[in-house]
């Protein structure tokens, strides 16, 4: 979940490192730091003093930038952290370094500097071994173990030392490493955590600058040429040249690790006129949905055939499956929960939705005629990838990724894929990624319904019209923002809230509660409204607002009865109601009327006011909306 940036060049790269960290700060912001090699030639000159130099901060990247405002260097690494081992302190911040065994005379500068994303599961065992060899530990991190281990194995070749070290590591890692004795060399490695190589443009006859990053986004505007490293790769960057080795030190040819062009417009990460990225991303949803649905002219399996490049694989897969298993975490899991209602009602396909972090650790009954659908915004979510691989080991090889990143591990490892086009999502609390996932899942429902003979031509035409109308419908929902702000003024002083929904809107209640708790720190729970009488009514008082999602569907009358149960106990209701539900505002009942009834697609529209409610409540409470405490965006650790 941490952010990594590194570079080897002939010119100053400090600004590139800092800019990359600012773009990756959403991945972790407990602390940050950088290390540069002051012995690397810069613009044809050699600095007066060499060696590694480090700076760390337990504030944000802007504070680190102030510390190093006059620093210039041509080789370096940088890191922004989401803490796993050890609290956010200067000692635990990255880069972690090794000065060598304590028995040796302490050098003036570190011998190894290293940044790391992931968790090393055997760090305690390695720590004991290294302490026995004279290494002193100054942090509580598992990362410091890797730095000392590489130092202990170094015999004049950094890549060789890293190769030998990673063979001893158990767990997940993406690392970038510098050594005191090799001023124009940077070595990276990955297993279970993403890492990409960026190749810059040569200028003025100088060698091409080379970069490492945990996300290509970090290098937007710097390069658009990337190599996506495979599991177990070690990448060796030296001035103007690079090579990739697997864990057995076998050199990988360019055809095995091709250079790909990835266009990342720098304006995608610009905040523009918005106060926060979350606000920007909420209002980008009409465009994101339009882009995600662009080119959908009919309901055909090729929609999930990675743009038709996988040789009609979707036809074979959809014909071969009898059920669906959805694997996801967090917000993506709630998207899967909505999809279950659609898949079973419209396509008649039995569907199970599993929390990915739980699925791989329980005994389950495998069925090879299952379509395994893995959902992730980043496509690098560690638990979801692990759950997918577990399902594959059980013999379930019909797999589909629904993901926002075409180059991600999830897309690469699934047989089929639907890449949503939400664009870069910076805010930790997911918004546009969620609604575009729902759109993709509805398309999947229609394709499976057609494959099972349950979708007539008139029904197909009706659903396609509804999908195309979504961006316009969303604009109407966003126009409700002033009314939502008035609700937020009530919520800002509360410490607890309850969200209710029925049917496909129950997961929307869960998502609304998650958004509120993530960014406003108000304790919020989502419940099926019919379960009120089985426990949650004990919590209802006038001090606990109750939000209800009330579309005009078959469960409306049942929901109205549940709302009366709340009112009878003095609870205050906040109801998102379709215009024709006949739910009126009165004392203790606050109603926002949705612009129109959306039928089966209603969950996509009803979630947007809940996103706005969480956002404006958090703003009124003065929290850090885009970077909520203790959280990070891309969860690449277990």
């Amino acid at each position: 979940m941490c952010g990594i940036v590194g570079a080897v060049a002939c010119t100053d790269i400090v600004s590139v490192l800092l800019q990359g960290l600012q773009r990756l700060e959403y991945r972790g912001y407990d602390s940050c730091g950088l290390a540069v090699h002051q012995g690397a030639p810069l613009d044809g000159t050699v600095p007066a003093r060499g060696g590694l130099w480090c700076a760390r901060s337990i504030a944000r990247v802007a504070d680190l930038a102030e510390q190093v405002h006059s620093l210039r260097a041509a080789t370096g690494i940088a890191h922004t952290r989401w803490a796993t081992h050890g609290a956010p302190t200067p000692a635990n911040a990255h880069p972690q370094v090794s000065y060598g065994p304590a028995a040796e005379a302490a050098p003036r500068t570190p011998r190894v500097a290293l940044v790391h994303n992931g968790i090393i599961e055997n760090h305690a065992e390695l720590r004991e071994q290294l302490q026995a060899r004279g290494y002193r530990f100054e942090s509580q991190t598992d990362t410091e173990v890797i730095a000392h281990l590489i130092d202990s194995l170094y015999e004049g070749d950094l890549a060789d030392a890293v190769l030998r070290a990673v063979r001893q590591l158990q767990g997940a890692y993406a690392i970038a490493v510098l050594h005191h004795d090799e001023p124009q060399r940077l070595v990276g490695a990955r297993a279970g955590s993403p890492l990409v190589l960026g190749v810059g443009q040569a200028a003025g006859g100088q060698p091409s600058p080379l970069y490492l990053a945990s996300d290509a986004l970090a290098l937007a505007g710097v390069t658009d040429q990337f190599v996506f490293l495979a599991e177990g790769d070690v990448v060796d960057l030296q001035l103007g040249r690079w090579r990739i080795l697997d864990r057995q030190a076998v050199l990988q040819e360019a055809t095995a690790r091709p250079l790909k062009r990835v266009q990342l417009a720098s304006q995608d990460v610009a905040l523009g006129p918005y106060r926060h990225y979350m606000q920007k991303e909420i209002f980008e949803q009409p465009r994101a949905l339009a882009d995600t649905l662009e080119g959908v002219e009919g309901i055909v399996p090729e929609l999930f055939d990675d743009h038709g490049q996988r040789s009609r694989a979707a036809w074979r897969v959809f014909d071969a499956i009898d059920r669906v298993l959805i694997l996801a975490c967090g917000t993506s899991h709630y998207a899967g929960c909505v999809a279950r209602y659609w898949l079973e009602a419209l396509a008649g396909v039995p569907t199970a939705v599993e929390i990915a972090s739980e699925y791989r650790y329980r005994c389950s009954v495998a069925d090879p005629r299952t379509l395994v659908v893995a959902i992730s915004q980043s496509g690098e979510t560690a638990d979801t990838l692990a759950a997918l691989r577990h399902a594959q080991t059980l013999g379930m090889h019909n797999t589909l990724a629904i993901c926002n990143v075409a180059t991600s591990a999830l897309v690469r490892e699934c047989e089929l894929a639907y890449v949503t086009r939400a664009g870069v999502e910076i805010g930790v609390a997911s918004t546009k990624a969620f609604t575009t996932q729902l759109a993709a899942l509805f398309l999947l429902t229609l394709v499976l319904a057609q494959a099972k003979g349950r979708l007539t031509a008139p029904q197909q035409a009706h659903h396609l019209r509804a999908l195309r109308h979504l961006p316009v419908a969303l604009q109407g929902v966003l126009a409700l923002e002033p009314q939502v702000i008035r609700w937020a003024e009530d919520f800002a002083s509360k410490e607890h809230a309850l969200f209710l929904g029925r049917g496909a809107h129950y997961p929307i209640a869960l998502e609304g509660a998650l958004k509120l708790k993530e960014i406003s720190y108000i304790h919020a729970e989502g419940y099926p409204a019919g379960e009120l009488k089985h426990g949650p009514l004990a919590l209802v008082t006038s001090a606990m607002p109750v939000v209800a999602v009330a579309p005009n569907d078959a469960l409306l009358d049942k929901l109205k009865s549940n709302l009366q149960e709340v009112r009878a106990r003095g609870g205050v209701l906040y109801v998102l109601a379709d215009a024709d539900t006949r739910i009126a505002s009165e004392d203790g009942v606050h109603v926002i009327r949705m612009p129109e009834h959306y039928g089966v697609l209603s969950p996509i529209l009803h979630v947007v006011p809940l996103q706005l409610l969480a956002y404006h409540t958090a703003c009124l409470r003065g929290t850090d909306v885009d970077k909520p405490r203790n959280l990070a965006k891309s969860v690449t650790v277990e």
Side-chain angles (χ1 to χ4, degrees):
M1 292 164 68
C2 309
I4 292 173
V5 191
V8 175
C10 290
T11 56
D12 180 38
I13 48 81
V14 173
S15 62
V16 173
L17 298 180
L18 292 171
Q19 183 182 67
L21 287 191
Q22 288 169 341
R23 290 176 175 164
L24 293 181
E25 198 168 19
Y26 69 99
R27 295 175 67 110
Y29 34 87
D30 294 332
S31 57
C32 56
L34 61 75
V36 297
H37 209 305
Q38 295 186 315
L42 181 64
D43 295 328
T45 64
V46 179
R49 61 191 182 94
L52 300 175
W53 183 87
C54 296
R56 300 170 180 163
S57 172
I58 55 172
R60 296 291 170 82
V61 173
D63 178 76
L64 179 67
E66 284 294 316
Q67 288 188 44
V68 301
H69 70 277
S70 60
L71 180 67
R72 297 179 76 229
T75 302
I77 54 177
H79 187 269
T80 182
R81 181 175 184 246
W82 183 83
T84 55
H85 293 72
T89 65
N92 291 332
H94 295 206
Q96 288 291 305
V97 301
S98 177
Y99 293 92
E104 298 182 12
R108 295 174 56 192
T109 59
R111 299 205 308 200
V112 171
L114 176 143
V115 293
H116 166 226
N117 181 17
I119 292 177
I120 304 303
E121 295 173 357
N122 62 333
H123 70 95
E125 173 189 342
L126 291 172
R127 180 183 289 250
E128 289 181 5
Q129 295 172 6
L130 289 161
Q131 285 174 328
R133 297 171 63 180
Y135 285 91
R136 296 175 56 184
F137 284 78
E138 299 178 357
S139 79
Q140 299 168 297
T141 68
D142 54 341
T143 303
E144 189 179 4
V145 168
I146 313 174
H148 290 317
L149 180 61
I150 290 171
D151 180 79
S152 72
L153 298 170
Y154 184 77
E155 295 177 345
D157 186 323
L158 181 57
D160 177 68
V162 171
L163 273 166
R164 292 163 63 195
V166 297
R167 291 172 188 150
Q168 299 185 41
L169 301 180
Q170 298 172 16
Y173 59 82
I175 59 174
V177 193
L178 301 177
H179 195 280
H180 175 278
D181 295 344
E182 300 183 69
Q184 292 177 300
R185 196 176 196 183
L186 168 60
V187 176
R190 65 145 301 198
S193 290
L195 194 66
V196 301
L197 161 67
V199 180
Q201 289 290 324
Q206 295 179 335
S208 299
L210 301 173
Y211 308 98
L212 284 181
S214 50
D215 190 326
L217 173 66
L219 302 174
V222 176
T223 183
D224 61 0
Q225 300 292 321
F226 295 95
V227 175
F228 292 87
L229 301 178
E231 190 78 356
D233 278 353
V234 173
V235 58
D236 181 11
L237 281 61
Q238 300 185 57
L239 194 61
R241 58 193 177 95
W242 50 273
R243 61 184 180 134
I244 297 172
L245 308 165
D246 66 16
R247 197 178 276 133
Q248 284 69 48
V250 177
L251 183 66
Q252 300 302 299
E253 299 296 331
T255 53
R257 304 290 187 271
L259 196 63
K260 296 183 179 180
R261 186 181 185 194
V262 178
Q263 292 182 310
L264 286 168
S266 56
Q267 61 264 29
D268 288 346
V269 294
L271 188 57
Y274 297 97
R275 184 176 175 186
H276 298 97
Y277 280 105
M278 183 179 179
Q279 182 187 30
K280 176 190 178 190
E281 288 153 10
I282 290 172
F283 279 85
E284 285 177 339
Q285 287 177 109
R287 178 202 56 77
L289 278 167
D291 289 348
T292 295
L293 297 169
E294 185 180 7
V296 178
E297 301 297 334
I299 303 304
V300 292
E302 285 92 344
L303 291 172
F304 296 88
D305 214 359
D306 198 16
H307 307 294
Q309 297 178 17
R310 299 193 184 186
S311 182
R312 293 175 60 84
W315 287 88
R316 176 185 55 77
V317 169
F318 291 147
D319 186 57
I321 62 103
D322 296 325
R323 58 185 62 244
V324 171
L325 170 63
I326 297 175
L327 303 172
C329 300
T331 287
S332 296
H333 173 253
Y334 296 148
C337 290
V338 173
R340 179 185 179 186
Y341 287 93
W342 290 339
L343 286 161
E344 296 194 338
L346 299 180
V349 178
T351 301
V353 186
E354 296 267 6
I355 296 174
S357 58
E358 290 292 320
Y359 171 71
R360 61 186 289 220
Y361 293 116
R362 71 173 185 83
C363 294
S364 57
V365 180
D367 182 347
R369 292 185 64 84
T370 297
L371 175 64
V372 179
V373 180
I375 312 172
S376 167
Q377 187 281 137
S378 67
E380 304 290 350
T381 306
D383 286 321
T384 304
L385 283 167
L388 169 69
R389 292 162 185 161
H390 176 66
Q392 290 169 328
T393 65
L394 297 178
M396 294 188 286
H397 299 294
N398 297 313
T399 56
L400 165 66
I402 292 179
C403 180
N404 194 38
V405 182
T407 54
S408 65
L410 193 70
V411 171
R412 294 197 302 269
E413 294 187 24
C414 283
E415 190 172 12
L416 304 177
Y418 195 97
V419 178
T420 60
R421 297 173 63 188
V424 176
E425 190 176 66
I426 300 295
V428 166
S430 181
T431 52
K432 61 180 180 175
F434 178 70
T435 48
T436 54
Q437 286 170 355
L438 288 176
L441 288 163
F442 190 73
L443 283 174
L444 175 64
T445 300
L446 297 182
V447 169
L448 288 176
Q450 184 183 70
K452 303 302 178 185
R454 295 171 60 100
L455 186 69
T456 66
Q459 288 171 333
Q460 178 180 158
H462 168 76
H463 290 310
L464 283 173
R465 284 195 302 271
L467 283 168
R468 293 183 184 120
H469 182 61
L470 274 176
V472 175
L474 261 176
Q475 293 287 7
V477 176
L478 289 167
L480 299 173
E481 185 180 32
Q483 297 177 60
V484 177
I485 292 173
R486 288 195 288 274
W487 281 16
E489 290 168 351
D490 293 345
F491 276 68
S493 62
K494 308 300 183 184
E495 294 303 325
H496 306 277
L498 191 63
F499 288 70
L500 304 177
R502 298 199 72 139
H505 294 82
Y506 163 47
I508 297 304
L510 291 168
E511 173 63 9
L514 176 62
K515 286 291 155 286
L516 189 67
K517 73 179 77 170
E518 278 181 313
I519 61 171
S520 75
Y521 314 147
I522 293 172
H523 171 244
E525 297 295 335
Y527 251 87
E531 285 292 293
L532 268 175
K533 54 189 174 292
H534 298 294
L537 268 178
L539 299 174
V540 172
T541 69
S542 60
M544 179 185 232
V546 178
V547 180
V549 183
N552 189 7
D553 60 15
L555 293 170
L556 177 61
D557 288 338
K558 299 292 185 184
L559 178 66
K560 286 181 177 179
S561 297
N562 303 141
L563 301 187
Q564 287 302 317
E565 292 167 0
V566 173
R567 289 297 298 129
R569 275 94 181 155
V572 179
L573 288 167
Y574 295 80
V575 186
L576 289 171
D578 284 349
D580 49 1
T581 53
R582 296 185 181 179
I583 300 175
S585 294
E586 57 182 271
D587 184 41
V589 181
H590 307 274
V591 179
I592 291 179
R593 299 204 177 280
M594 300 291 282
E596 55 183 294
H597 177 57
Y598 303 104
V600 71
L601 290 171
S602 174
I604 298 178
L605 282 300
H606 272 86
V607 75
V608 175
L610 301 182
Q611 296 170 349
L612 288 169
L613 176 62
Y615 172 73
H616 286 291
T617 301
C619 288
L620 289 167
R621 287 169 69 94
T623 65
D624 193 340
V625 172
D626 288 332
K627 301 181 180 69
R629 68 187 181 203
N630 303 332
L631 301 178
K633 181 69 176 175
S634 184
V635 187
T636 57
V637 296
E638 186 178 352

